Amino acid sequence: MRKPIIAGNWKMNMTPTEARKLVDALAPLVADAACEVVICPPYVDLAFVADLLPGTNIALGAQNVHWAEKGAFTGEISAPMLKELGVKYVIVGHSERRQYFGETDETVNLRTKAAINAGITPIICVGESLEQRENGVTDAVVTVQTVAALKDMPEAAVKGLVIAYEPIWAIGTGKTATKEEANETIKVIRDAIRGVFGEAVAAEVRIQYGGSMNPKNASELMAMPEIDGGLIGGASLKPEDFARVVKY
């Protein structure tokens, strides 16, 4: 059985002071969660939040990582830097990174490898635009993105990573795929992994849904056999809402 994982992506929200209030409120609400709980604050909050998490069941995640260990990459953060802060997970290839900051399938692959080499579990994001869905190429898009992200990676590393299916048209819009649509596309992603790495690996990879999962739809989405968790945006900024998703 794959253990469900619910991760909160704070995006560019929360000052350190606000982060303390959020974590202080959230920790007791999710203390008895049956799933894995992760929060991904902005970089400036990471060290601060790391000090708040010992004694809780909340793991620390980051929102991006560079592929080099160090160097002349102004504004970037390396995997060893994140590792020293206690970061356990890192989001790679989020659609906003692809759309606004030039992320490509190749750089997603490089960042993924850097995270794994540092002992950090990547949460690799894949997903289609509204135009791609309307043109009927969703399956092809997520297959290409998944295979490219995992290029030249060992089976053992792939087993332990997380993939988030995030239909771009559903992020921050309040729209969401039906539970059947989400389950079907996540199955396509798992089939893509199966095609490269085999059944045993595909059966172990956890695949989240990342398109506006919230307290109202979490239980029906999580009831689907292929969905192993959620990558939560807006709802993760409200302790009560995020806790309700965690306890779907």
Side-chain angles (χ1 to χ4, degrees):
M1 293 291 291
R2 298 182 295 268
K3 185 174 183 178
I5 176 170
I6 304 292
N9 177 15
W10 293 6
K11 305 190 179 183
M12 197 175 70
N13 295 290
M14 297 290 156
T15 65
T17 301
E18 293 168 335
R20 171 182 283 280
K21 292 179 181 178
L22 196 160
V23 174
D24 285 347
L26 177 65
L29 297 177
V30 300
D32 58 348
C35 65
E36 212 165 332
V37 183
V38 182
I39 55 174
C40 302
Y43 284 135
V44 296
D45 294 344
L46 285 175
F48 193 81
V49 171
D51 289 339
L52 303 176
L53 297 185
T56 75
N57 62 328
I58 303 172
L60 183 63
Q63 296 179 20
N64 195 19
V65 62
H66 197 265
W67 54 82
E69 290 194 359
K70 58 184 177 180
F73 300 101
T74 301
E76 291 288 336
I77 306 294
S78 73
M81 294 174 184
L82 297 177
K83 183 71 173 180
E84 189 166 318
L85 287 177
V87 169
K88 302 290 179 59
Y89 291 89
V90 62
I91 299 169
V92 179
H94 193 280
S95 64
E96 291 160 2
R97 299 297 311 176
R98 295 177 190 255
Q99 180 178 356
Y100 302 127
F101 303 106
E103 196 79 74
T104 66
D105 289 340
E106 181 182 13
T107 58
V108 169
N109 177 253
L110 293 172
R111 294 180 198 271
T112 297
K113 290 175 180 174
I116 289 173
N117 288 339
I120 299 173
T121 301
I123 300 175
I124 304 169
C125 299
V126 301
E128 83 284 10
S129 67
L130 180 59
E131 180 181 9
Q132 289 167 331
R133 172 163 282 275
E134 290 177 340
N135 288 337
V137 295
T138 292
D139 292 2
V141 169
V142 299
T143 296
V144 167
Q145 289 178 338
T146 300
V147 172
L150 305 181
K151 182 181 179 182
D152 298 328
M153 290 179 54
E155 290 185 5
V158 175
K159 284 183 180 180
L161 56 73
V162 179
I163 294 178
Y165 166 52
E166 42 158 31
I168 297 170
W169 49 271
I171 299 171
T173 64
K175 298 178 180 179
T176 185
T178 66
K179 60 182 187 291
E180 292 83 8
E181 288 172 335
N183 190 72
E184 180 182 338
T185 304
I186 287 176
K187 184 180 183 301
V188 171
I189 295 168
R190 199 177 303 284
D191 286 343
I193 299 169
R194 183 179 292 110
V196 178
F197 297 97
E199 177 60 40
V201 174
E204 289 196 38
V205 176
R206 292 182 292 179
I207 307 179
Q208 301 172 312
Y209 176 67
S212 295
M213 185 183 285
N214 58 59
K216 294 181 179 179
N217 61 25
S219 60
E220 66 176 30
L221 286 164
M222 290 300 297
M224 303 305 289
E226 297 289 349
I227 300 178
D228 303 317
L231 182 59
I232 315 303
S236 70
L237 301 175
K238 301 175 182 178
E240 294 80 8
D241 284 358
F242 189 54
R244 287 173 61 195
V245 174
V246 166
K247 296 186 174 183
Y248 59 89

